[in-house]
Amino acid sequence: MFHADVRVLSRAELLLDGRSVESVATSPLGPGATAFVGLARWLGDPGPDPTVRVTRERRLMPAGLDETITITSTAAEPVTTEVALALDADLAPIAPVKAGRAVDAAGVTRSGLTWSAGDLSVAVTASFGATVQDATLRWPVTVAPRTSVTVSWQLRVDDQAALVREPAGPVEWTRPTVTADDRRIERLAARSLDDLESLRLSLSAGATDTFLGAGVPWYLTLFGRDSLWAARMLLPLGTDIAEGTLRVLAAHQGTAVDPQTGEAPGKILHELRRADTQAALPAAYFGSVDSTLLWISLLHDAWRWGMAPEAVESLLPTLESALGWLAHHGDADGDGFLEYIDESGRGLANQGWKDSGDSIRFRTGELATAPIALVEVQGYAYEAALHGAALLDAFGRPGGPRWREYAQAMAARFRDKFWVDGPAGAYPALALDGDKRPVDALTSNIGHLLGTGLLTAKESAQVADLLASDAMAGGFGLRTMSTHDAAFSPLSYHCGSVWAHDTAIVIDRLARAGHPAAAATLASGLLAAAESFDYQLPELFGGDDRSTFGRPVPYPAACRPQAWAAAAGVTLLHAAVGLRPDVPAGTVALAPLQDAPLGAVAVRGLRVGAASVDVAVSADGSATVQGLPPSLRLALPRHAAAR
């Protein structure tokens, strides 16, 4: 168990009569709760059928964990056993744990079932009847025939230096009712919302704004890019989590130039950690080239979905500072493209969402050298400029024309410098390297350009065809790199694996750009992956072909649950129904996936402003919407209707 980037429980080993229980099943019990089922085959009646079952139910609590252990017997005679639970807490920072390094617990003191180091302490208590010996709880148990006996224990953490905490208020989004021909969509949505609820966080010291921690266990804190994308993907369920995320990141916006942390005026934070758990990066680290742009677009999109005008207006100074970063700091060499380089020598070598050190490669496998201008970042910049201009105009602020001109010039520069020819035709390169050479690997990054307006209709169609090809979509979703590229490896972090959020974002953008067949191809793979992972999509998984194993190969260190992977279930629903509001303009577009390639889907309880809205798409692709307030006018595409 981890609490605020510290491992507060490193051992909880259950033994009956000194023997391990045989694990046979796990099952989710809702947000932050899981059941584990095991068998004690040496106990109970002789014969092939097990008669003694052990069920462990764990539930996360604010600053703690509760577990019940239930021994159930169907044996003919009473069963007597000793239940023992060996415990330890090494209070290790998360960084060495993630790296697999040995941890020195010399600074940890233990007294009974209390462990402490500095201002951090962990205490375990147990149900009646337990004895304690050498940090092991012991219960003597006798179970009568066809009955159960339950024992329990609780862990609580006292950590005054914790950076994050569980929010005190209710969940910030609605929980829609989903019905679909493909029941996997229903199950994925339900499990995704449970996972998202368990990832809600607030900062300490009386903070009230809520955001989504990036993922369990390695990234359960504020991450600019991850928290922003997750909030953006949840906009169909309300704008409250977006508003909280925007405010939290605004409060930590950069104000000075600092090469050691990557900070610059107007820049949005990448990652916030407690200082005593960080071994490599600064506690407040700004090494992200896209978080600032994503902040701008989240503010714009939340405004379009109905975020209160006064809340939007209060964040306009942050918007103007963020646009200032785009104007003065994002393009260090003045070539018109946004690039990054780690000037400190101890930060992230790559600072887009594919931030592993070997992720940016040529088709030959050669690594690109910095400064690097990523393809999707130019699309984000184009989109952020137009989004910023729309907000400035709407609230009577100067600068709108300047940013529309910026976007127009970006589109021209991009078309001139980024497009390359490959075996399957022309496509945008992954990046420009430090010598301004196009890094010509075919990757999923180009899917993020769709629907932004940066591509023409013809260019969008070419990108869509490549993304739906076997080389990119032959696995369980969208591969991060084509199988035809030399660096492709199905279990590479960013050079061949499949990321759930990446796939979902591209599905939504394909839908928005009018490519339903390509969107359906990727959705089919993602739904098959969800089924294999019991509908709890991990951060990433292997990019093997679907015919190789018949199920996705897990990535060993993937976060699960992870915020934007869980939000992928919501994005898949949103792409299917296609509700796209512009509350300030008084309009709502209804553009479901053409021909309903995912079958009939109905979602009750979407949120547009303060209104609860229901959308149904039939198997023939016709759509209806109910619940729109009179202030909103529906734009009806083919086969759509309103009531």
Side-chain angles (χ1 to χ4, degrees):
M1 178 180 173
F2 294 89
H3 179 270
D5 281 348
V6 176
R7 185 163 63 186
V8 295
L9 183 67
S10 52
R11 185 187 185 197
E13 183 181 3
L14 179 67
L15 302 173
L16 270 63
D17 297 333
R19 300 172 65 173
S20 296
V21 173
E22 178 186 346
S23 178
V24 294
T26 63
S27 178
L29 299 175
T34 307
F36 304 84
V37 180
L39 303 175
R41 290 186 180 272
W42 66 93
L43 294 175
D45 294 345
D49 293 338
T51 55
V52 177
R53 175 183 295 195
V54 181
T55 303
R56 304 177 73 172
E57 293 188 6
R58 294 184 192 149
R59 297 182 183 276
L60 288 173
M61 311 297 289
L65 172 74
D66 288 357
E67 181 174 83
T68 60
I69 304 167
T70 301
I71 299 92
T72 302
S73 174
T74 58
E77 301 293 332
V79 171
T80 298
T81 185
E82 181 189 63
V83 179
L85 186 72
L87 299 162
D88 199 8
D90 60 9
L91 306 187
I94 200 166
V97 177
K98 183 175 186 290
R101 299 197 300 270
V103 175
D104 182 5
V108 179
T109 60
R110 181 178 67 83
S111 176
L113 292 178
T114 299
W115 293 260
S116 60
D119 294 332
L120 172 64
S121 66
V122 178
V124 170
T125 57
S127 59
F128 179 77
T131 60
V132 181
Q133 183 181 9
D134 296 329
T136 298
L137 288 166
R138 299 181 185 276
W139 294 268
V141 167
T142 297
V143 188
R146 300 197 173 277
T147 64
S148 298
V149 172
T150 296
V151 298
S152 62
W153 62 281
Q154 303 80 37
L155 179 146
R156 293 294 181 268
V157 182
D158 184 5
D159 183 7
Q160 299 303 312
L163 186 65
V164 295
R165 63 178 177 86
E166 184 182 28
V171 174
E172 290 75 17
W173 53 84
T174 63
R175 191 176 183 105
T177 300
V178 180
T179 56
D181 285 348
D182 190 333
R183 296 293 299 278
R184 295 176 300 175
I185 299 174
E186 300 177 23
R187 295 175 182 133
L188 176 59
R191 186 68 186 272
S192 296
L193 291 170
D194 282 349
D195 285 345
L196 289 162
E197 185 173 336
S198 70
L199 292 169
R200 298 166 59 245
L201 292 175
S202 291
L203 294 182
S204 299
T208 56
D209 289 321
T210 303
F211 58 92
L212 288 165
V216 173
W218 315 122
Y219 307 118
L220 195 61
T221 186
L222 178 65
F223 270 76
R225 178 191 303 116
D226 300 56
S227 300
L228 287 162
W229 261 124
R232 195 176 183 185
M233 295 162 82
L234 287 184
L235 283 172
L237 308 184
T239 62
D240 287 353
I241 193 70
E243 187 175 335
T245 303
L246 289 163
R247 281 204 294 255
V248 168
L249 288 168
H252 293 84
Q253 189 174 31
T255 59
V257 174
D258 184 349
Q260 295 304 308
T261 65
E263 183 180 358
K267 197 174 185 183
I268 294 297
L269 190 76
H270 170 61
E271 176 180 353
L272 187 64
R273 299 274 194 175
R274 53 190 290 172
D276 58 347
T277 65
Q278 278 294 77
L281 300 177
Y285 181 57
F286 288 79
S288 164
V289 72
D290 51 7
S291 293
T292 309
L293 310 172
L294 295 171
W295 190 97
I296 294 169
S297 288
L298 177 60
L299 179 64
H300 170 271
D301 288 1
W303 171 60
R304 294 274 297 262
W305 275 92
M307 183 171 158
E310 58 272 19
V312 176
E313 190 165 22
S314 71
L315 290 166
L316 292 182
T318 305
L319 168 70
E320 291 169 328
S321 294
L323 289 170
W325 174 84
L326 177 55
H328 303 297
H329 299 281
D331 177 15
D333 60 10
D335 68 343
F337 297 117
L338 275 73
E339 56 265 316
Y340 60 81
I341 185 171
D342 172 36
E343 296 180 359
S344 72
R346 60 187 293 261
L348 294 172
N350 286 313
Q351 298 183 2
W353 84 260
K354 294 181 179 177
D355 57 4
S356 55
D358 64 350
S359 62
I360 311 304
R361 292 176 177 265
F362 289 82
R363 193 189 312 165
T364 60
E366 175 193 356
L367 286 170
T369 56
I372 292 171
L374 288 172
V375 62
E376 79 275 16
V377 171
Q378 315 316 312
Y380 296 163
Y382 175 90
E383 197 172 41
L386 293 179
H387 288 167
L391 286 162
L392 294 173
D393 288 351
F395 287 88
R397 303 274 185 134
R402 171 194 180 185
W403 289 109
R404 282 187 288 275
E405 291 171 5
Y406 173 96
Q408 185 176 5
M410 169 65 82
R413 286 193 300 269
F414 182 88
R415 191 161 288 110
D416 181 52
K417 298 295 185 182
F418 266 82
W419 280 82
V420 297
D421 291 318
Y427 58 90
L430 167 59
L432 302 181
D433 73 356
D435 295 323
K436 305 304 176 184
R437 295 183 301 163
V439 182
D440 58 353
L442 174 58
T443 64
S444 64
N445 302 57
I446 63 176
H448 292 234
L449 303 175
L450 294 163
T452 63
L454 185 61
L455 303 180
T456 66
K458 181 179 179 181
E459 291 166 346
S460 291
Q462 173 70 3
V463 168
D465 287 346
L466 287 170
L467 293 175
S469 67
D470 286 344
M472 293 298 295
F476 292 84
L478 181 63
R479 292 184 175 110
T480 44
M481 179 176 282
S482 164
T483 57
H484 298 319
D485 284 87
F488 171 81
S489 172
L491 281 179
S492 166
Y493 199 56
H494 289 128
C495 297
S497 59
V498 173
W499 286 63
H501 87 283
D502 185 35
T503 301
I505 289 168
V506 173
I507 288 170
D508 185 62
R509 293 192 174 233
L510 284 164
R512 195 185 340 171
H515 303 288
T521 296
L522 294 178
S524 173
L526 193 60
L527 285 169
E531 187 174 27
S532 292
F533 287 113
D534 197 23
Y535 299 99
Q536 185 183 57
L537 283 168
E539 177 185 17
L540 72 156
F541 44 88
D544 302 273
D545 196 84
R546 290 176 71 172
S547 63
T548 302
F549 299 113
R551 60 190 301 127
V553 175
Y555 185 85
C559 286
R560 186 175 179 218
Q562 201 238 17
W564 58 15
V570 178
T571 297
L572 192 60
L573 276 180
H574 181 229
V577 300
L579 189 70
R580 304 188 185 278
D582 185 352
V583 172
T587 62
V588 175
L590 182 62
L593 272 177
Q594 298 168 27
D595 304 318
L598 302 181
V601 180
V603 186
R604 298 179 58 192
L606 297 174
R607 181 71 58 179
V608 178
S612 180
V613 176
D614 305 336
V615 180
V617 180
S618 67
D620 66 1
S622 59
T624 60
V625 59
Q626 299 182 62
L628 290 178
S631 58
L632 295 179
R633 181 180 74 260
L634 185 67
L636 292 171
R638 181 173 57 92
H639 302 317
R643 293 201 300 271

